[in-house]
Amino acid sequence: MSAKRIDGKLRAQEIHEEVARRSEELRGRGIVPTLAMMRVGEDPASIVYLRKKAEAAEKVGVQSKNIVFPEDANPEEVRQTMQDLNQDPNVHGILLQLPLPKGWDAQVLLNLMDPAKDVDGFHPVSVGKLVRGEPTLLPCTPLGILYLLHREQIDLSGKVVAVIGRSNIVGRPVANLLSQKGPGRDATVILLHSRSKEIPAWTSQADVIIAAAGQAQMITPEMVRPGAVVIDVGIHRVPNPDKPGKFKLVGDVHPDVKEVASAMTPVPGGVGPMTVATLLQNTVDAAE
Ligand code: GUN
């Protein structure tokens, strides 16, 4: 078997088109949907992600502001900026790019954000509403994964979904959402993590695997039930064995899983573009 490629770029484009339409409508009413993105320090991956987010925002008519603090900035200054953005009626979405440098407490800063502008869904009020199944801004990567599964017409009701990774950004919220009542959900979710025993015994029972462990190519073909759907959230820059001295991007899933799965997201071009698209969707949601 060779798995169908679940095209995240194509699906992200669908969301971009819808967001562009809604941005234009907002602009017609004198509202310019605006996303403020804060970064502390010079984490190279964060710089790339934020550049991609800003470029995508511009294409769909969402204005973005980039606010950068040096690693040794005064935390009070960052807190004050967050509070100013909360108060600014022309800013609809706020994002604090993670991870923060060593010594910085992300939770303290996230707690200060106005939940109505929390386009990442990381504020405790957003998390609480998510867990209770109340309407709220949902975290971008889980939202993107839900959209991909929906557009692939994968019926999750009563199906077994194995989520590998318990991060607050992906694993826990996606596990929570998929186990909730409702269309496109209703799954039986197994949440696996670094202390789980016999991981292959669990994953091989799953109809859908969501790999978000942050470990390059850890999901191998033996761990996957033939015909399962595999969503790869990982992204790692590793030396390219075919081109000495060069690097390539790989996910948490080994490429040979293609031979076993029925459908699979590529890396790059799978979940990554969805995370950017859903961020912009959340921004217009917040602006509306
Ligand atoms: N770091 C890794 N993923 C994300 C994300 O979705 N949002 C933010 N703010 N930081 C991240």
Side-chain angles (χ1 to χ4, degrees):
M1 192 186 306
S2 189
K4 178 187 172 197
R5 184 175 187 275
I6 301 178
D7 190 342
K9 269 195 192 161
L10 176 77
R11 298 303 177 206
Q13 190 52 38
E14 290 173 5
I15 297 179
H16 286 157
E17 282 164 19
E18 175 71 8
V19 169
R21 197 188 56 67
R22 290 165 63 193
S23 306
E24 201 178 307
E25 199 175 294
L26 282 163
R27 283 172 180 257
R29 288 162 43 200
I31 300 161
V32 179
T34 300
L35 169 64
M37 300 190 280
M38 300 169 70
R39 187 184 93 218
V40 183
E42 299 298 317
D43 176 60
S46 292
I47 293 170
V48 174
Y49 291 146
L50 286 171
R51 193 184 63 229
K52 286 192 176 170
K53 289 171 185 177
E55 285 168 1
E58 192 182 340
K59 283 193 194 142
V60 296
V62 169
Q63 176 169 271
S64 69
K65 290 178 192 273
N66 247 307
I67 303 159
V68 180
F69 295 94
E71 188 172 337
D72 61 357
N74 181 348
E76 179 49 34
E77 196 189 336
V78 181
R79 287 196 288 269
Q80 188 57 53
T81 301
M82 179 77 81
Q83 269 150 354
D84 293 345
L85 294 168
N86 284 342
Q87 298 301 323
D88 186 341
N90 296 319
V91 169
H92 308 100
I94 307 173
L95 172 156
L96 174 66
Q97 187 66 27
L98 302 178
L100 296 182
K102 268 205 181 72
W104 286 79
D105 189 335
Q107 297 304 340
V108 167
L109 281 171
L110 290 171
N111 291 356
L112 287 177
M113 193 183 288
D114 177 353
K117 298 188 178 185
D118 176 25
V119 286
D120 258 329
F122 293 167
H123 188 278
V125 167
S126 313
V127 177
K129 286 186 176 175
L130 180 156
V131 171
R132 284 170 34 156
E134 294 175 18
T136 187
L137 291 164
L138 295 174
C140 303
T141 306
L143 195 53
I145 294 170
L146 257 58
Y147 186 85
L148 287 178
L149 294 170
H150 164 70
R151 290 294 278 121
E152 293 300 317
Q153 298 183 309
I154 293 159
D155 175 23
L156 293 172
S157 181
K159 296 287 170 59
V160 176
V161 178
V163 177
I164 304 109
R166 56 180 159 183
S167 74
N168 286 325
I169 297 182
V170 186
R172 277 198 275 188
V174 84
N176 209 299
L177 288 165
L178 290 175
S179 64
Q180 287 178 6
K181 229 182 216 192
R185 306 194 185 184
D186 287 325
T188 300
V189 177
I190 306 171
L191 182 55
L192 301 160
H193 49 76
S194 52
R195 293 296 167 99
S196 297
K197 295 196 192 340
E198 313 287 354
I199 289 180
W202 295 108
T203 55
S204 56
Q205 294 179 47
D207 301 291
V208 177
I209 294 178
I210 299 176
Q215 210 177 311
Q217 303 188 339
M218 72 162 284
I219 304 295
T220 51
E222 312 76 63
M223 297 168 74
V224 178
R225 194 178 63 74
V229 172
V230 179
I231 305 290
D232 190 351
V233 183
I235 185 147
H236 312 272
R237 194 167 166 268
V238 299
N240 186 339
D242 302 327
K243 295 182 186 162
K246 301 272 188 212
F247 290 84
K248 64 174 184 172
L249 293 175
V250 301
D252 281 5
V253 178
H254 194 282
D256 290 351
V257 169
K258 271 203 300 289
E259 304 309 322
V260 184
S262 62
M264 180 165 149
T265 58
V267 174
V271 172
M274 298 304 295
T275 299
V276 176
T278 49
L279 170 69
L280 301 171
Q281 179 178 284
N282 277 348
T283 305
V284 292
D285 278 347
E288 283 171 355

